[in-house]
């Protein structure tokens, strides 16, 4: 089975690189693109055709929910997982209402992220 193609979107460079390094260690996934903004993520999704996009909720400009809505509108097959440093029901509810398949907290990502990527593909 080919690896799941993943797009990473986060405006924090250190977090983006750490997430990339984490995913690089797992053969089930392949990072095909990464970016620090929602607007460029929408364009990259059109070009790279990822299966899954991990999208930060709080970004300047086009935030995670708007990025999610636009990516899904352009490609209904893409699965979006919203990641956030903000916990709480309102943030999660907003992300899921925008079309995200899952919501992860940044603090708990290490063990969950690849399993969640695999889960949303099934």
């Amino acid at each position: 089975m080919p690896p799941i193609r993943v797009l990473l979107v986060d405006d924090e460079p250190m977090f983006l690189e750490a997430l990339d390094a984490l995913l690089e260690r797992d053969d089930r996934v392949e990072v095909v693109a990464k970016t620090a903004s929602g607007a460029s993520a929408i364009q990259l999704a059109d070009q790279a055709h990822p299966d899954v996009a991990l999208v930060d909720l709080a970004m300047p400009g086009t935030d995670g929910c708007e990025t999610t809505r636009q990516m899904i509108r352009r490609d209904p097959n893409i699965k979006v997982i919203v990641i956030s440093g903000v916990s709480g029901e309102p943030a999660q509810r907003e992300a899921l209402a925008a079309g995200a398949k899952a919501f992860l907290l940044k603090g708990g990502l290490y063990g969950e992220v690849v399993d969640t990527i695999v889960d949303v593909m099934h």
Side-chain angles (χ1 to χ4, degrees):
M1 187 155 127
I4 298 167
R5 298 168 49 81
V6 179
L7 166 63
L8 303 178
V9 188
D10 198 296
D11 64 322
E12 297 176 33
M14 286 182 58
F15 185 78
L16 190 62
E17 292 305 317
L19 193 54
D20 187 23
L22 171 71
L23 296 181
E24 188 176 290
R25 299 189 326 215
D26 196 305
D27 292 339
R28 295 177 291 174
V29 297
E30 173 190 5
V31 175
V32 294
K34 57 186 176 178
T35 184
S37 80
S40 66
I42 294 160
Q43 293 176 344
L44 279 172
D46 286 345
Q47 296 165 2
H49 305 288
D51 301 309
V52 174
L54 287 174
V55 179
D56 184 23
L57 181 64
M59 294 184 291
T62 308
D63 71 10
C65 288
E66 184 58 26
T67 300
T68 298
R69 280 189 285 274
Q70 289 191 34
M71 283 197 288
I72 292 169
R73 185 168 44 243
R74 292 163 87 120
D75 179 2
N77 294 317
I78 193 169
K79 311 290 190 259
V80 179
I81 299 169
V82 170
I83 54 177
S84 178
V86 178
S87 64
E89 188 70 27
Q92 184 174 1
R93 192 170 40 248
E94 184 181 2
L96 296 175
K101 297 294 184 193
F103 182 89
L104 294 173
L105 290 174
K106 287 183 176 182
L109 279 177
Y110 183 78
E112 297 175 66
V113 69
V114 177
D115 290 340
T116 302
I117 291 170
V118 171
D119 287 348
V120 301
M121 288 301 297
H122 295 102

Coordinates of all heavy atoms in Angstrom, one line a residue, residues 29-80:
V29 N 3.2 7.3 5.9 CA 2.9 8.6 5.4 C 4.1 9.2 4.7 O 5.2 8.8 4.9 CB 2.5 9.6 6.6 CG1 1.2 9.1 7.2 CG2 3.6 9.7 7.6
E30 N 3.8 10.1 3.8 CA 4.8 10.9 3.0 C 4.4 12.3 3.0 O 3.3 12.7 2.5 CB 4.9 10.3 1.6 CG 5.8 11.1 0.7 CD 5.7 10.7 -0.7 OE1 4.9 9.8 -1.1 OE2 6.5 11.2 -1.5
V31 N 5.2 13.2 3.5 CA 5.0 14.6 3.4 C 5.3 15.1 2.0 O 6.4 15.0 1.6 CB 5.8 15.4 4.5 CG1 5.6 16.9 4.3 CG2 5.4 15.0 5.9
V32 N 4.3 15.6 1.3 CA 4.5 16.0 -0.1 C 4.6 17.5 -0.2 O 5.1 18.0 -1.3 CB 3.3 15.5 -1.0 CG1 3.4 14.0 -1.1 CG2 2.0 16.0 -0.6
A33 N 4.2 18.3 0.8 CA 4.4 19.7 0.8 C 4.2 20.2 2.2 O 3.5 19.6 3.0 CB 3.4 20.3 -0.2
K34 N 4.8 21.4 2.4 CA 4.5 22.1 3.7 C 4.6 23.6 3.5 O 5.3 24.1 2.6 CB 5.5 21.7 4.8 CG 6.9 21.8 4.4 CD 7.8 21.2 5.5 CE 9.3 21.3 5.1 NZ 10.2 20.7 6.1
T35 N 3.8 24.3 4.3 CA 3.8 25.8 4.1 C 3.4 26.4 5.4 O 2.8 25.8 6.3 CB 2.8 26.2 3.0 OG1 2.8 27.6 2.8 CG2 1.4 25.7 3.3
A36 N 3.6 27.7 5.5 CA 3.3 28.5 6.7 C 2.0 29.3 6.6 O 1.7 30.0 7.5 CB 4.5 29.4 7.1
S37 N 1.3 29.2 5.5 CA 0.1 30.1 5.4 C -1.1 29.3 4.7 O -0.9 28.4 3.9 CB 0.4 31.3 4.6 OG 0.3 31.1 3.2
G38 N -2.3 29.7 5.1 CA -3.5 29.1 4.6 C -3.6 29.3 3.1 O -4.0 28.4 2.3
A39 N -3.3 30.5 2.6 CA -3.5 30.9 1.2 C -2.6 30.0 0.4 O -3.0 29.5 -0.7 CB -3.2 32.4 1.0
S40 N -1.3 29.8 0.8 CA -0.4 29.0 0.0 C -0.8 27.5 0.1 O -0.5 26.8 -0.8 CB 1.1 29.3 0.3 OG 1.3 28.9 1.7
A41 N -1.4 27.1 1.2 CA -1.8 25.7 1.4 C -2.8 25.4 0.4 O -2.8 24.3 -0.2 CB -2.3 25.5 2.8
I42 N -3.7 26.3 0.1 CA -4.8 26.0 -0.9 C -4.2 25.8 -2.2 O -4.6 24.9 -3.0 CB -5.8 27.2 -0.8 CG1 -6.5 27.2 0.5 CG2 -6.8 27.0 -2.0 CD1 -7.2 28.6 0.8
Q43 N -3.2 26.6 -2.6 CA -2.6 26.4 -3.9 C -1.7 25.1 -3.9 O -1.8 24.4 -4.9 CB -1.7 27.6 -4.2 CG -2.4 28.9 -4.4 CD -1.5 30.1 -4.6 OE1 -0.3 30.1 -4.3 NE2 -2.1 31.2 -5.1
L44 N -1.0 24.9 -2.8 CA -0.2 23.6 -2.8 C -1.1 22.4 -2.9 O -0.7 21.4 -3.5 CB 0.6 23.6 -1.5 CG 1.9 24.4 -1.5 CD1 2.5 24.4 -0.1 CD2 2.9 23.8 -2.5
A45 N -2.3 22.4 -2.3 CA -3.2 21.3 -2.3 C -3.6 21.0 -3.8 O -3.7 19.9 -4.2 CB -4.4 21.5 -1.4
D46 N -3.8 22.1 -4.5 CA -4.2 22.0 -5.9 C -3.0 21.3 -6.7 O -3.3 20.6 -7.7 CB -4.5 23.3 -6.6 CG -5.8 23.9 -6.1 OD1 -6.7 23.1 -5.6 OD2 -6.1 25.1 -6.3
Q47 N -1.8 21.7 -6.4 CA -0.6 21.2 -7.1 C -0.2 19.8 -6.7 O 0.2 19.0 -7.5 CB 0.5 22.2 -7.0 CG 0.2 23.5 -7.6 CD 1.2 24.6 -7.1 OE1 2.1 24.3 -6.3 NE2 1.0 25.8 -7.5
A48 N -0.1 19.6 -5.4 CA 0.5 18.3 -4.8 C -0.5 17.2 -4.6 O -0.1 16.1 -4.5 CB 1.2 18.6 -3.5
H49 N -1.8 17.5 -4.6 CA -2.9 16.5 -4.5 C -2.6 15.6 -3.3 O -2.6 14.4 -3.4 CB -3.0 15.7 -5.8 CG -3.3 16.5 -7.0 ND1 -4.5 17.2 -7.2 CD2 -2.5 16.9 -8.0 CE1 -4.4 17.9 -8.3 NE2 -3.2 17.7 -8.8
P50 N -2.5 16.2 -2.1 CA -2.3 15.3 -0.9 C -3.6 14.6 -0.6 O -4.7 15.0 -1.0 CB -2.0 16.3 0.2 CG -2.7 17.6 -0.2 CD -2.6 17.6 -1.7
D51 N -3.5 13.5 0.1 CA -4.7 12.7 0.6 C -5.2 13.4 1.9 O -6.4 13.5 2.1 CB -4.3 11.3 1.0 CG -3.7 10.5 -0.2 OD1 -4.4 10.5 -1.3 OD2 -2.6 10.0 -0.1
V52 N -4.3 13.9 2.7 CA -4.6 14.5 4.0 C -3.8 15.8 4.2 O -2.7 15.9 3.8 CB -4.2 13.5 5.2 CG1 -4.4 14.2 6.5 CG2 -5.0 12.2 5.1
A53 N -4.5 16.8 4.8 CA -3.8 18.1 5.1 C -3.9 18.2 6.6 O -5.0 18.1 7.2 CB -4.5 19.2 4.4
L54 N -2.8 18.5 7.3 CA -2.8 18.8 8.7 C -2.7 20.4 8.7 O -1.7 20.9 8.3 CB -1.6 18.2 9.4 CG -1.6 16.8 9.6 CD1 -0.2 16.3 10.2 CD2 -2.7 16.4 10.6
V55 N -3.7 21.0 9.2 CA -3.9 22.4 9.2 C -4.0 23.1 10.5 O -4.9 22.7 11.3 CB -5.1 22.8 8.3 CG1 -5.3 24.3 8.2 CG2 -5.0 22.2 6.9
D56 N -3.1 24.0 10.8 CA -3.2 24.8 12.1 C -4.4 25.6 12.1 O -4.8 26.2 11.1 CB -1.9 25.7 12.2 CG -1.8 26.4 13.5 OD1 -2.4 26.0 14.5 OD2 -1.1 27.4 13.5
L57 N -5.1 25.7 13.3 CA -6.3 26.4 13.4 C -6.1 27.9 13.4 O -6.7 28.7 12.6 CB -7.0 26.1 14.7 CG -8.3 26.7 15.0 CD1 -9.4 26.4 13.9 CD2 -8.8 26.4 16.4
A58 N -5.1 28.4 14.2 CA -4.9 29.9 14.3 C -3.7 30.3 13.5 O -2.6 30.1 13.9 CB -4.7 30.2 15.8
M59 N -4.0 30.9 12.3 CA -2.9 31.4 11.5 C -3.4 32.8 11.0 O -4.6 33.1 10.9 CB -2.8 30.5 10.2 CG -2.2 29.2 10.5 SD -1.9 28.2 8.9 CE -3.6 28.0 8.4
P60 N -2.4 33.7 10.8 CA -2.8 35.0 10.3 C -3.3 34.9 8.9 O -2.9 34.0 8.2 CB -1.5 35.8 10.4 CG -0.4 34.8 10.5 CD -1.0 33.6 11.1
G61 N -4.1 35.8 8.5 CA -4.7 35.8 7.1 C -5.7 34.8 7.0 O -6.7 34.8 7.8
T62 N -5.6 33.8 6.1 CA -6.6 32.7 6.0 C -6.4 31.7 7.1 O -5.4 31.0 7.1 CB -6.4 32.1 4.6 OG1 -6.4 33.1 3.6 CG2 -7.5 31.1 4.3
D63 N -7.3 31.7 8.1 CA -7.2 30.8 9.2 C -7.4 29.4 8.8 O -7.8 29.0 7.7 CB -8.0 31.3 10.4 CG -9.5 31.1 10.1 OD1 -9.9 30.4 9.2 OD2 -10.3 31.6 11.0
G64 N -7.3 28.5 9.8 CA -7.4 27.1 9.6 C -8.8 26.6 9.1 O -8.9 25.8 8.2
C65 N -9.8 27.3 9.6 CA -11.2 26.9 9.2 C -11.5 27.3 7.8 O -12.0 26.5 7.0 CB -12.2 27.5 10.2 SG -12.2 26.6 11.8
E66 N -11.1 28.5 7.4 CA -11.3 29.0 6.1 C -10.4 28.2 5.1 O -10.9 27.8 4.0 CB -11.0 30.5 5.9 CG -11.3 31.0 4.5 CD -12.7 30.8 4.1 OE1 -13.7 30.7 4.9 OE2 -12.9 30.8 2.8
T67 N -9.2 27.9 5.5 CA -8.3 27.0 4.7 C -9.0 25.7 4.4 O -9.0 25.1 3.3 CB -7.0 26.8 5.3 OG1 -6.4 28.1 5.5 CG2 -6.0 25.9 4.5
T68 N -9.5 25.1 5.5 CA -10.2 23.8 5.4 C -11.4 23.9 4.4 O -11.5 23.0 3.5 CB -10.7 23.4 6.8 OG1 -9.6 23.2 7.7 CG2 -11.5 22.1 6.7
R69 N -12.2 24.9 4.6 CA -13.4 25.0 3.7 C -13.0 25.1 2.2 O -13.6 24.5 1.4 CB -14.2 26.2 4.1 CG -15.1 26.0 5.3 CD -16.1 27.2 5.5 NE -15.4 28.3 6.1 CZ -15.3 28.5 7.4 NH1 -15.7 27.6 8.2 NH2 -14.7 29.6 7.8
Q70 N -12.0 25.9 2.0 CA -11.6 26.2 0.6 C -10.9 24.9 0.0 O -11.2 24.6 -1.2 CB -10.6 27.4 0.5 CG -11.4 28.7 0.7 CD -10.5 29.9 0.4 OE1 -9.7 29.8 -0.6 NE2 -10.7 31.0 1.1
M71 N -10.1 24.2 0.7 CA -9.5 23.0 0.2 C -10.5 21.9 -0.1 O -10.4 21.3 -1.2 CB -8.4 22.5 1.2 CG -7.1 23.2 1.1 SD -5.7 22.4 1.9 CE -6.2 22.5 3.6
I72 N -11.5 21.8 0.8 CA -12.5 20.8 0.5 C -13.4 21.2 -0.6 O -13.8 20.3 -1.4 CB -13.3 20.5 1.8 CG1 -12.4 19.8 2.9 CG2 -14.6 19.7 1.5 CD1 -13.0 19.8 4.3
R73 N -13.7 22.4 -0.8 CA -14.5 22.9 -1.9 C -13.8 22.6 -3.2 O -14.5 22.2 -4.2 CB -14.8 24.4 -1.7 CG -15.8 24.9 -2.8 CD -16.3 26.3 -2.5 NE -15.3 27.3 -2.1 CZ -15.3 27.9 -0.8 NH1 -16.3 27.6 0.0 NH2 -14.4 28.8 -0.5
R74 N -12.5 22.8 -3.2 CA -11.7 22.6 -4.5 C -11.5 21.1 -4.7 O -11.4 20.7 -5.9 CB -10.4 23.3 -4.4 CG -10.7 24.8 -4.4 CD -9.5 25.6 -3.9 NE -8.5 25.8 -5.0 CZ -8.2 27.0 -5.4 NH1 -8.7 28.1 -4.8 NH2 -7.3 27.2 -6.4
D75 N -11.4 20.3 -3.6 CA -11.1 18.8 -3.8 C -11.9 18.1 -2.7 O -11.4 18.0 -1.6 CB -9.6 18.5 -3.7 CG -9.3 17.0 -3.8 OD1 -10.3 16.2 -4.0 OD2 -8.2 16.7 -3.6
P76 N -13.1 17.7 -3.0 CA -13.9 17.0 -1.9 C -13.3 15.7 -1.4 O -13.7 15.3 -0.3 CB -15.2 16.7 -2.7 CG -15.2 17.6 -3.9 CD -13.8 17.8 -4.2
N77 N -12.3 15.2 -2.0 CA -11.7 13.9 -1.5 C -10.6 14.2 -0.5 O -10.2 13.2 0.2 CB -11.1 13.2 -2.7 CG -12.1 12.7 -3.6 OD1 -13.2 12.2 -3.2 ND2 -11.9 12.8 -4.9
I78 N -10.1 15.4 -0.3 CA -9.0 15.7 0.6 C -9.6 15.6 2.1 O -10.7 16.0 2.3 CB -8.4 17.1 0.4 CG1 -7.1 17.2 1.2 CG2 -9.3 18.2 0.7 CD1 -6.2 18.4 0.9
K79 N -8.8 15.0 2.9 CA -9.2 14.8 4.3 C -8.4 15.9 5.1 O -7.2 15.9 5.0 CB -8.9 13.4 4.9 CG -9.5 12.3 4.0 CD -10.9 12.2 4.0 CE -11.4 10.9 3.4 NZ -11.9 11.1 2.1
V80 N -9.1 16.7 5.9 CA -8.4 17.7 6.7 C -8.4 17.4 8.2 O -9.5 17.0 8.7 CB -8.9 19.1 6.5 CG1 -8.2 20.2 7.3 CG2 -8.9 19.5 5.0

